[in-house]
Amino acid sequence: KEMVVGADIKEILGKRPEDRTEEEIQQVLFALRTYETFSEYPLNMQERMCRKAHYLRFDANRIILRQGDRAEWFYYVLSGTTAVSILEENKSTGSVNLRNVGYLTRGTAFGELALLHGSRRTATVSCKDAVELIAVDKADFVEMNQLDSDEEKEHIRYCRTLEILKDWPVNLLNEIKGVCNFHFFKKGTVMAKSNHQTPFIYIVKSGHVRVLTKVTKIKQKCPQGCRVRSRMYNSGSRNTTNGSSRNGRVATSSSYASSYRSRVNRPAS
């Protein structure tokens, strides 16, 4: 039987973060760790989420976020079901259609990629029934992903040990805020859909990721009267592991992966 977050936990999450006691934070942590997917986050991230998250409740048919909006919050579903839909334009008719692409249920997180990439929402998320969530705002989400408060972050110290970065001015990563960040990706998460859609490169600290390229369908030409066969060609995939960097077309975490990302300047086209 699924555990339900009690009224006392909701009351704590309804308080301002600075008004929560250490005992209350531990109560919230104990309750949220009954969610298997919440327990997959590193412990320090779990604790920071319990300190900063806010409790939200939406009735059925309410919209949580809209496609095209600025990304301001990270969400984790406590109960209920949300529908994810995308507005698409029919290029031949010019009409706009709403296409449902899936559902998010108990124990699912969403909204983090747009926060990481500084992009707008790529889909609309609405409530299929009554939905309860915890939400973390953008500033707290960025802070939540920092592993320590030392002058030099642990992930920057890690970058110093990598052979592939031996000729990089790694010391500059300390001087420019937000240029190099740590983030934890859960299994199956799409880290980047395209290298044209992210200004970052990713360095994998632990776990494995798959890098895929677009699969295209090619129809072979043959003399008249012979059978035409279609073949599917994958222009390549690659597994990337610890200490590797990648800014490939598509990257998904094939195991729980922690990744660092650094902004790179692209030449003007």
Side-chain angles (χ1 to χ4, degrees):
K1 183 178 179 180
E2 292 184 346
M3 297 289 292
V4 178
V5 172
D8 55 336
I9 302 301
K10 297 174 186 177
E11 183 179 353
I12 295 171
L13 291 170
K15 293 182 178 182
R16 295 186 304 173
E18 58 268 27
D19 293 336
R20 300 171 192 174
T21 67
E22 288 299 320
E23 182 181 351
E24 288 175 332
I25 291 168
Q26 291 304 310
Q27 282 182 255
V28 175
L29 180 61
F30 180 79
L32 294 184
R33 281 182 63 84
T34 62
Y35 291 77
E36 183 179 351
T37 52
F38 185 86
S39 298
E40 292 169 358
Y41 289 103
L43 183 58
N44 65 330
M45 288 184 65
Q46 296 177 34
E47 292 176 341
R48 292 179 185 187
M49 206 180 304
C50 293
R51 291 179 186 276
K52 299 294 186 179
H54 303 270
Y55 170 78
L56 299 174
R57 185 186 185 281
F58 293 88
D59 293 328
N61 301 318
R62 288 284 303 277
I63 293 177
I64 299 172
L65 57 87
R66 294 180 185 274
Q67 182 176 340
D69 285 352
R70 293 183 181 277
E72 300 293 343
W73 294 86
F74 161 80
Y75 299 93
Y76 185 89
V77 181
L78 298 176
S79 67
T81 302
T82 65
V84 183
S85 53
I86 297 176
L87 277 175
E88 295 179 325
E89 182 180 359
N90 187 317
K91 294 182 179 180
S92 59
T93 64
S95 61
V96 177
N97 301 309
L98 187 66
R99 180 169 65 91
N100 188 290
V101 295
Y103 297 94
L104 303 173
T105 57
R106 182 184 190 275
T108 306
F110 62 95
E112 67 268 37
L113 290 183
L115 289 175
L116 289 171
H117 298 158
S119 59
R120 293 183 178 270
R121 300 298 190 187
T122 57
T124 295
V125 179
S126 58
C127 302
K128 188 177 179 183
D129 49 25
V131 173
E132 295 179 302
L133 313 104
I134 54 173
V136 179
D137 71 22
K138 184 176 182 178
D140 289 334
F141 178 78
V142 172
E143 181 183 337
M144 188 177 78
N145 279 279
Q146 301 303 319
L147 293 181
D148 50 42
S149 57
D150 295 344
E151 183 177 344
E152 180 168 273
K153 302 297 183 183
E154 191 276 337
H155 59 273
I156 296 180
R157 291 198 296 271
Y158 175 76
C159 289
R160 292 184 183 276
T161 68
L162 300 177
E163 180 69 18
I164 59 173
L165 297 182
K166 66 178 182 179
D167 296 322
W168 281 41
V170 176
N171 58 301
L172 296 180
L173 299 178
N174 284 311
E175 300 176 14
I176 309 174
K177 186 177 180 181
V179 77
C180 182
N181 299 304
F182 170 85
H183 187 66
F184 173 80
F185 291 93
K186 294 169 68 175
K187 183 178 180 180
T189 301
V190 177
M191 296 165 59
K193 291 184 177 180
S194 168
N195 60 343
H196 299 297
Q197 296 178 0
T198 175
F200 299 102
I201 61 173
Y202 294 80
I203 300 173
V204 180
K205 183 176 184 294
S206 63
H208 300 77
V209 300
R210 281 187 79 191
V211 180
L212 306 175
T213 52
K214 187 176 181 180
V215 177
T216 55
K217 188 174 182 179
I218 300 176
K219 187 171 288 188
Q220 290 182 313
K221 294 182 178 180
C222 65
Q224 186 176 5
C226 76
R227 180 178 296 180
V228 177
R229 296 185 301 170
S230 295
R231 292 184 180 179
M232 298 295 288
Y233 290 89
N234 188 334
S235 52
S237 66
R238 179 179 301 177
N239 287 324
T240 306
T241 56
N242 305 34
S244 304
S245 65
R246 189 67 182 169
N247 62 345
R249 298 283 179 87
V250 179
T252 60
S253 51
S254 58
S255 64
Y256 306 123
S258 357
S259 173
Y260 306 134
R261 53 196 183 86
S262 297
R263 188 180 297 273
V264 293
N265 294 322
R266 300 185 182 279
S269 55

